[in-house]
C-alpha cells in the first residue's frame, strides 16, 4: 500500500483499499453461502461481478464531479433493480 500511496497519492490508497474491501466481501459472501446453503444461479453471479467491477473502476477514469454524481446515481438505481429482479427470492421480496 505504501508504494501505491507514494506513486499515486490518495487515489492509489483508495484503489488499494477498494481492492481489499472487494476481496474481503467476496470471502465473506462465500462463507455465508456455505453456512446458509444459499445457491444462486451462476449467470447472475457473473452479471453481478461484471457490474461490480465496472461500477468500481470507472470512477477512477471520470474527472468531472457532476458526471461522477450522475454516474453514482445510475449505478445505485441499476444495482437496486438487478438485486430486486435477480438476487432476491419471493420470501425476501414480500418482507
Amino acid at each position: 500500500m505504501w508504494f501505491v500511496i507514494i506513486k499515486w497519492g490518495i487515489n492509489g490508497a483508495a484503489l488499494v483499499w477498494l481492492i481489499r474491501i472487494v476481496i474481503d466481501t467476496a470471502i465473506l459472501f462465500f462463507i455465508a453461502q456455505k453456512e446458509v446453503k444459499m445457491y444462486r444461479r451462476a449467470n447472475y453471479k457473473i452479471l453481478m461481478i461484471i457490474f461490480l467491477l465496472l461500477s468500481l473502476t470507472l470512477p477512477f477514469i471520470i474527472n468531472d464531479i457532476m458526471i461522477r454524481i450522475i454516474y453514482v446515481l445510475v449505478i445505485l438505481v441499476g444495482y437496486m433493480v438487478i438485486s430486486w429482479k435477480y438476487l432476491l427470492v419471493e420470501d425476501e421480496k414480500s418482507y
Side-chain angles (χ1 to χ4, degrees):
M1 184 169 185
W2 293 107
F3 173 73
V4 176
I5 292 173
I6 292 169
K7 185 151 177 100
W8 291 308
I10 191 72
N11 287 336
L15 182 61
V16 169
W17 196 257
L18 174 72
I19 291 169
R20 189 202 75 81
I21 294 297
V22 167
I23 292 170
D24 186 42
T25 303
I27 291 169
L28 287 173
F29 271 105
F30 178 74
I31 292 170
Q33 282 183 335
K34 290 276 189 182
E35 288 294 318
V36 181
K37 295 184 179 35
M38 294 174 38
Y39 297 103
R40 304 283 187 209
R41 294 186 223 165
N43 294 339
Y44 298 135
K45 286 182 183 179
I46 293 171
L47 176 67
M48 289 304 294
I49 289 170
I50 291 171
F51 186 72
L52 175 70
L53 291 175
L54 284 175
S55 65
L56 293 176
T57 55
L58 284 179
F60 287 99
I61 299 170
I62 301 170
N63 290 327
D64 186 27
I65 189 70
M66 287 306 293
I67 295 175
R68 278 188 183 185
I69 291 171
I70 293 169
Y71 175 77
V72 166
L73 291 174
V74 168
I75 292 298
L76 286 175
V77 170
Y79 183 75
M80 287 173 22
V81 169
I82 289 172
S83 296
W84 185 264
K85 288 181 83 172
Y86 300 113
L87 295 178
L88 297 177
V89 293
E90 292 302 319
D91 290 342
E92 295 169 332
K93 290 178 184 177
S94 65
Y95 181 70

